[in-house]
PDB file of all heavy atoms in Angstrom:
ATOM      1  N   ASP A1282      32.605  66.794-105.962  1.00  0.00           N
ATOM      2  CA  ASP A1282      31.846  67.833-105.347  1.00  0.00           C
ATOM      3  C   ASP A1282      31.463  68.953-106.358  1.00  0.00           C
ATOM      4  O   ASP A1282      32.331  69.289-107.208  1.00  0.00           O
ATOM      5  CB  ASP A1282      32.767  68.533-104.306  1.00  0.00           C
ATOM      6  CG  ASP A1282      32.097  69.623-103.515  1.00  0.00           C
ATOM      7  OD1 ASP A1282      30.969  69.825-103.543  1.00  0.00           O
ATOM      8  OD2 ASP A1282      32.932  70.400-102.740  1.00  0.00           O
ATOM      9  N   GLY A1283      30.195  69.244-106.502  1.00  0.00           N
ATOM     10  CA  GLY A1283      29.838  70.293-107.487  1.00  0.00           C
ATOM     11  C   GLY A1283      28.754  71.229-106.969  1.00  0.00           C
ATOM     12  O   GLY A1283      28.153  70.938-105.815  1.00  0.00           O
ATOM     13  N   PHE A1284      28.317  72.165-107.745  1.00  0.00           N
ATOM     14  CA  PHE A1284      27.300  73.058-107.351  1.00  0.00           C
ATOM     15  C   PHE A1284      25.923  72.467-107.803  1.00  0.00           C
ATOM     16  O   PHE A1284      25.861  71.738-108.741  1.00  0.00           O
ATOM     17  CB  PHE A1284      27.480  74.437-108.084  1.00  0.00           C
ATOM     18  CG  PHE A1284      28.647  75.179-107.603  1.00  0.00           C
ATOM     19  CD1 PHE A1284      29.856  75.229-108.282  1.00  0.00           C
ATOM     20  CD2 PHE A1284      28.693  75.837-106.342  1.00  0.00           C
ATOM     21  CE1 PHE A1284      30.909  75.950-107.983  1.00  0.00           C
ATOM     22  CE2 PHE A1284      29.752  76.541-105.911  1.00  0.00           C
ATOM     23  CZ  PHE A1284      30.899  76.506-106.683  1.00  0.00           C
ATOM     24  N   ALA A1285      24.842  72.793-107.062  1.00  0.00           N
ATOM     25  CA  ALA A1285      23.582  72.270-107.315  1.00  0.00           C
ATOM     26  C   ALA A1285      22.583  73.426-107.470  1.00  0.00           C
ATOM     27  O   ALA A1285      22.804  74.534-107.028  1.00  0.00           O
ATOM     28  CB  ALA A1285      23.141  71.358-106.095  1.00  0.00           C
ATOM     29  N   ASP A1286      21.547  73.118-108.113  1.00  0.00           N
ATOM     30  CA  ASP A1286      20.368  74.085-108.336  1.00  0.00           C
ATOM     31  C   ASP A1286      19.484  74.103-107.031  1.00  0.00           C
ATOM     32  O   ASP A1286      19.737  73.461-105.940  1.00  0.00           O
ATOM     33  CB  ASP A1286      19.560  73.778-109.570  1.00  0.00           C
ATOM     34  CG  ASP A1286      18.736  72.489-109.464  1.00  0.00           C
ATOM     35  OD1 ASP A1286      18.651  71.945-108.272  1.00  0.00           O
ATOM     36  OD2 ASP A1286      18.422  71.937-110.534  1.00  0.00           O
ATOM     37  N   ASP A1287      18.411  74.888-107.102  1.00  0.00           N
ATOM     38  CA  ASP A1287      17.592  75.078-105.919  1.00  0.00           C
ATOM     39  C   ASP A1287      16.802  73.818-105.433  1.00  0.00           C
ATOM     40  O   ASP A1287      16.480  73.799-104.336  1.00  0.00           O
ATOM     41  CB  ASP A1287      16.533  76.179-106.186  1.00  0.00           C
ATOM     42  CG  ASP A1287      17.090  77.636-106.347  1.00  0.00           C
ATOM     43  OD1 ASP A1287      18.224  77.738-105.861  1.00  0.00           O
ATOM     44  OD2 ASP A1287      16.406  78.425-106.915  1.00  0.00           O
ATOM     45  N   ASN A1288      16.848  72.707-106.339  1.00  0.00           N
ATOM     46  CA  ASN A1288      16.236  71.472-105.911  1.00  0.00           C
ATOM     47  C   ASN A1288      17.401  70.556-105.416  1.00  0.00           C
ATOM     48  O   ASN A1288      17.056  69.385-104.993  1.00  0.00           O
ATOM     49  CB  ASN A1288      15.611  70.844-107.084  1.00  0.00           C
ATOM     50  CG  ASN A1288      14.386  71.683-107.454  1.00  0.00           C
ATOM     51  OD1 ASN A1288      13.652  72.166-106.721  1.00  0.00           O
ATOM     52  ND2 ASN A1288      14.223  71.821-108.875  1.00  0.00           N
ATOM     53  N   GLY A1289      18.551  70.982-105.389  1.00  0.00           N
ATOM     54  CA  GLY A1289      19.721  70.119-104.993  1.00  0.00           C
ATOM     55  C   GLY A1289      20.283  69.269-106.110  1.00  0.00           C
ATOM     56  O   GLY A1289      21.101  68.380-105.790  1.00  0.00           O
ATOM     57  N   ASP A1290      19.748  69.435-107.292  1.00  0.00           N
ATOM     58  CA  ASP A1290      20.233  68.592-108.425  1.00  0.00           C
ATOM     59  C   ASP A1290      21.482  69.198-109.033  1.00  0.00           C
ATOM     60  O   ASP A1290      21.671  70.520-108.966  1.00  0.00           O
ATOM     61  CB  ASP A1290      19.287  68.459-109.547  1.00  0.00           C
ATOM     62  CG  ASP A1290      17.964  67.774-108.932  1.00  0.00           C
ATOM     63  OD1 ASP A1290      18.108  66.700-108.302  1.00  0.00           O
ATOM     64  OD2 ASP A1290      16.864  68.152-109.387  1.00  0.00           O
ATOM     65  N   PRO A1291      22.457  68.394-109.421  1.00  0.00           N
ATOM     66  CA  PRO A1291      23.690  69.009-110.045  1.00  0.00           C
ATOM     67  C   PRO A1291      23.474  70.020-111.180  1.00  0.00           C
ATOM     68  O   PRO A1291      22.645  69.710-112.039  1.00  0.00           O
ATOM     69  CB  PRO A1291      24.439  67.797-110.590  1.00  0.00           C
ATOM     70  CG  PRO A1291      23.939  66.616-109.797  1.00  0.00           C
ATOM     71  CD  PRO A1291      22.420  66.905-109.478  1.00  0.00           C
ATOM     72  N   LEU A1292      24.151  71.178-111.053  1.00  0.00           N
ATOM     73  CA  LEU A1292      24.096  72.155-112.165  1.00  0.00           C
ATOM     74  C   LEU A1292      24.723  71.551-113.422  1.00  0.00           C
ATOM     75  O   LEU A1292      24.269  71.829-114.513  1.00  0.00           O
ATOM     76  CB  LEU A1292      24.656  73.474-111.749  1.00  0.00           C
ATOM     77  CG  LEU A1292      23.898  74.346-110.783  1.00  0.00           C
ATOM     78  CD1 LEU A1292      24.726  75.496-110.388  1.00  0.00           C
ATOM     79  CD2 LEU A1292      22.584  74.696-111.442  1.00  0.00           C
ATOM     80  N   ASP A1293      25.921  70.974-113.222  1.00  0.00           N
ATOM     81  CA  ASP A1293      26.710  70.445-114.298  1.00  0.00           C
ATOM     82  C   ASP A1293      27.505  69.301-113.758  1.00  0.00           C
ATOM     83  O   ASP A1293      28.559  69.532-112.973  1.00  0.00           O
ATOM     84  CB  ASP A1293      27.601  71.557-114.824  1.00  0.00           C
ATOM     85  CG  ASP A1293      28.484  71.123-116.028  1.00  0.00           C
ATOM     86  OD1 ASP A1293      28.598  69.819-116.355  1.00  0.00           O
ATOM     87  OD2 ASP A1293      28.968  72.027-116.789  1.00  0.00           O
ATOM     88  N   VAL A1294      27.213  68.060-114.149  1.00  0.00           N
ATOM     89  CA  VAL A1294      27.915  66.919-113.590  1.00  0.00           C
ATOM     90  C   VAL A1294      29.316  66.918-114.087  1.00  0.00           C
ATOM     91  O   VAL A1294      30.170  66.099-113.475  1.00  0.00           O
ATOM     92  CB  VAL A1294      27.158  65.544-113.928  1.00  0.00           C
ATOM     93  CG1 VAL A1294      25.826  65.529-113.337  1.00  0.00           C
ATOM     94  CG2 VAL A1294      27.085  65.394-115.442  1.00  0.00           C
ATOM     95  N   ASP A1295      29.749  67.645-115.068  1.00  0.00           N
ATOM     96  CA  ASP A1295      31.139  67.690-115.503  1.00  0.00           C
ATOM     97  C   ASP A1295      31.990  68.832-114.851  1.00  0.00           C
ATOM     98  O   ASP A1295      33.255  68.795-114.900  1.00  0.00           O
ATOM     99  CB  ASP A1295      31.120  67.882-116.947  1.00  0.00           C
ATOM    100  CG  ASP A1295      30.643  66.620-117.729  1.00  0.00           C
ATOM    101  OD1 ASP A1295      30.735  65.553-117.216  1.00  0.00           O
ATOM    102  OD2 ASP A1295      29.922  66.903-118.698  1.00  0.00           O
ATOM    103  N   ASP A1296      31.230  69.799-114.209  1.00  0.00           N
ATOM    104  CA  ASP A1296      31.932  70.896-113.532  1.00  0.00           C
ATOM    105  C   ASP A1296      32.120  70.529-112.008  1.00  0.00           C
ATOM    106  O   ASP A1296      31.456  71.064-111.113  1.00  0.00           O
ATOM    107  CB  ASP A1296      31.137  72.186-113.646  1.00  0.00           C
ATOM    108  CG  ASP A1296      31.847  73.315-113.129  1.00  0.00           C
ATOM    109  OD1 ASP A1296      33.192  73.305-112.913  1.00  0.00           O
ATOM    110  OD2 ASP A1296      31.171  74.341-112.803  1.00  0.00           O
ATOM    111  N   VAL A1297      32.983  69.503-111.684  1.00  0.00           N
ATOM    112  CA  VAL A1297      33.144  69.182-110.388  1.00  0.00           C
ATOM    113  C   VAL A1297      34.695  69.238-109.969  1.00  0.00           C
ATOM    114  O   VAL A1297      35.565  69.270-110.880  1.00  0.00           O
ATOM    115  CB  VAL A1297      32.629  67.695-110.185  1.00  0.00           C
ATOM    116  CG1 VAL A1297      31.110  67.676-110.564  1.00  0.00           C
ATOM    117  CG2 VAL A1297      33.456  66.672-111.096  1.00  0.00           C
ATOM    118  N   ALA A1298      34.882  69.106-108.729  1.00  0.00           N
ATOM    119  CA  ALA A1298      36.203  68.962-108.048  1.00  0.00           C
ATOM    120  C   ALA A1298      36.167  67.555-107.520  1.00  0.00           C
ATOM    121  O   ALA A1298      35.304  67.152-106.992  1.00  0.00           O
ATOM    122  CB  ALA A1298      36.513  69.985-107.180  1.00  0.00           C
ATOM    123  N   ALA A1299      37.333  66.885-107.727  1.00  0.00           N
ATOM    124  CA  ALA A1299      37.542  65.637-107.130  1.00  0.00           C
ATOM    125  C   ALA A1299      38.246  65.818-105.759  1.00  0.00           C
ATOM    126  O   ALA A1299      39.103  66.646-105.651  1.00  0.00           O
ATOM    127  CB  ALA A1299      38.484  64.709-108.040  1.00  0.00           C
ATOM    128  N   VAL A1300      37.727  65.091-104.790  1.00  0.00           N
ATOM    129  CA  VAL A1300      38.185  65.338-103.361  1.00  0.00           C
ATOM    130  C   VAL A1300      38.701  64.027-102.795  1.00  0.00           C
ATOM    131  O   VAL A1300      37.920  63.004-102.982  1.00  0.00           O
ATOM    132  CB  VAL A1300      37.118  65.880-102.456  1.00  0.00           C
ATOM    133  CG1 VAL A1300      37.686  66.080-101.021  1.00  0.00           C
ATOM    134  CG2 VAL A1300      36.541  67.213-103.055  1.00  0.00           C
ATOM    135  N   VAL A1301      39.804  63.965-102.213  1.00  0.00           N
ATOM    136  CA  VAL A1301      40.401  62.825-101.646  1.00  0.00           C
ATOM    137  C   VAL A1301      40.798  63.162-100.154  1.00  0.00           C
ATOM    138  O   VAL A1301      41.599  64.142-100.027  1.00  0.00           O
ATOM    139  CB  VAL A1301      41.661  62.286-102.341  1.00  0.00           C
ATOM    140  CG1 VAL A1301      42.219  61.102-101.633  1.00  0.00           C
ATOM    141  CG2 VAL A1301      41.261  61.758-103.753  1.00  0.00           C
ATOM    142  N   ALA A1302      40.142  62.491 -99.202  1.00  0.00           N
ATOM    143  CA  ALA A1302      40.567  62.751 -97.755  1.00  0.00           C
ATOM    144  C   ALA A1302      41.261  61.459 -97.302  1.00  0.00           C
ATOM    145  O   ALA A1302      40.754  60.325 -97.396  1.00  0.00           O
ATOM    146  CB  ALA A1302      39.281  62.925 -96.975  1.00  0.00           C
ATOM    147  N   THR A1303      42.457  61.719 -96.779  1.00  0.00           N
ATOM    148  CA  THR A1303      43.240  60.594 -96.349  1.00  0.00           C
ATOM    149  C   THR A1303      43.478  60.810 -94.833  1.00  0.00           C
ATOM    150  O   THR A1303      44.023  61.801 -94.457  1.00  0.00           O
ATOM    151  CB  THR A1303      44.555  60.409 -97.074  1.00  0.00           C
ATOM    152  OG1 THR A1303      44.387  60.443 -98.453  1.00  0.00           O
ATOM    153  CG2 THR A1303      45.353  59.146 -96.722  1.00  0.00           C
ATOM    154  N   LEU A1304      43.177  59.767 -93.994  1.00  0.00           N
ATOM    155  CA  LEU A1304      43.450  59.787 -92.589  1.00  0.00           C
ATOM    156  C   LEU A1304      44.509  58.847 -92.261  1.00  0.00           C
ATOM    157  O   LEU A1304      44.409  57.610 -92.666  1.00  0.00           O
ATOM    158  CB  LEU A1304      42.205  59.426 -91.758  1.00  0.00           C
ATOM    159  CG  LEU A1304      41.149  60.657 -91.781  1.00  0.00           C
ATOM    160  CD1 LEU A1304      40.492  60.943 -93.175  1.00  0.00           C
ATOM    161  CD2 LEU A1304      40.056  60.361 -90.826  1.00  0.00           C
ATOM    162  N   GLU A1305      45.501  59.223 -91.479  1.00  0.00           N
ATOM    163  CA  GLU A1305      46.594  58.221 -91.059  1.00  0.00           C
ATOM    164  C   GLU A1305      47.050  58.639 -89.713  1.00  0.00           C
ATOM    165  O   GLU A1305      47.036  59.805 -89.159  1.00  0.00           O
ATOM    166  CB  GLU A1305      47.800  58.305 -92.012  1.00  0.00           C
ATOM    167  CG  GLU A1305      48.416  59.698 -92.173  1.00  0.00           C
ATOM    168  CD  GLU A1305      49.430  59.840 -93.263  1.00  0.00           C
ATOM    169  OE1 GLU A1305      49.830  58.785 -93.739  1.00  0.00           O
ATOM    170  OE2 GLU A1305      49.748  60.951 -93.671  1.00  0.00           O
ATOM    171  N   PRO A1306      47.357  57.571 -88.946  1.00  0.00           N
ATOM    172  CA  PRO A1306      47.927  57.767 -87.519  1.00  0.00           C
ATOM    173  C   PRO A1306      49.250  58.653 -87.650  1.00  0.00           C
ATOM    174  O   PRO A1306      49.987  58.510 -88.505  1.00  0.00           O
ATOM    175  CB  PRO A1306      48.308  56.357 -87.107  1.00  0.00           C
ATOM    176  CG  PRO A1306      47.536  55.406 -87.936  1.00  0.00           C
ATOM    177  CD  PRO A1306      47.401  56.110 -89.271  1.00  0.00           C
ATOM    178  N   PHE A1307      49.303  59.622 -86.751  1.00  0.00           N
ATOM    179  CA  PHE A1307      50.523  60.459 -86.682  1.00  0.00           C
ATOM    180  C   PHE A1307      50.688  60.915 -85.207  1.00  0.00           C
ATOM    181  O   PHE A1307      49.823  61.607 -84.655  1.00  0.00           O
ATOM    182  CB  PHE A1307      50.317  61.559 -87.689  1.00  0.00           C
ATOM    183  CG  PHE A1307      51.459  62.637 -87.626  1.00  0.00           C
ATOM    184  CD1 PHE A1307      52.670  62.209 -88.259  1.00  0.00           C
ATOM    185  CD2 PHE A1307      51.363  63.761 -86.916  1.00  0.00           C
ATOM    186  CE1 PHE A1307      53.634  63.123 -88.235  1.00  0.00           C
ATOM    187  CE2 PHE A1307      52.434  64.566 -86.829  1.00  0.00           C
ATOM    188  CZ  PHE A1307      53.653  64.361 -87.622  1.00  0.00           C
TER     189      PHE A1307
END
Side-chain angles (χ1 to χ4, degrees):
D1282 181 14
F1284 293 106
D1286 65 18
D1287 289 340
N1288 296 319
D1290 296 321
L1292 286 176
D1293 182 346
V1294 294
D1295 296 321
D1296 184 25
V1297 297
V1300 182
V1301 177
T1303 306
L1304 286 67
E1305 59 189 342
F1307 178 78

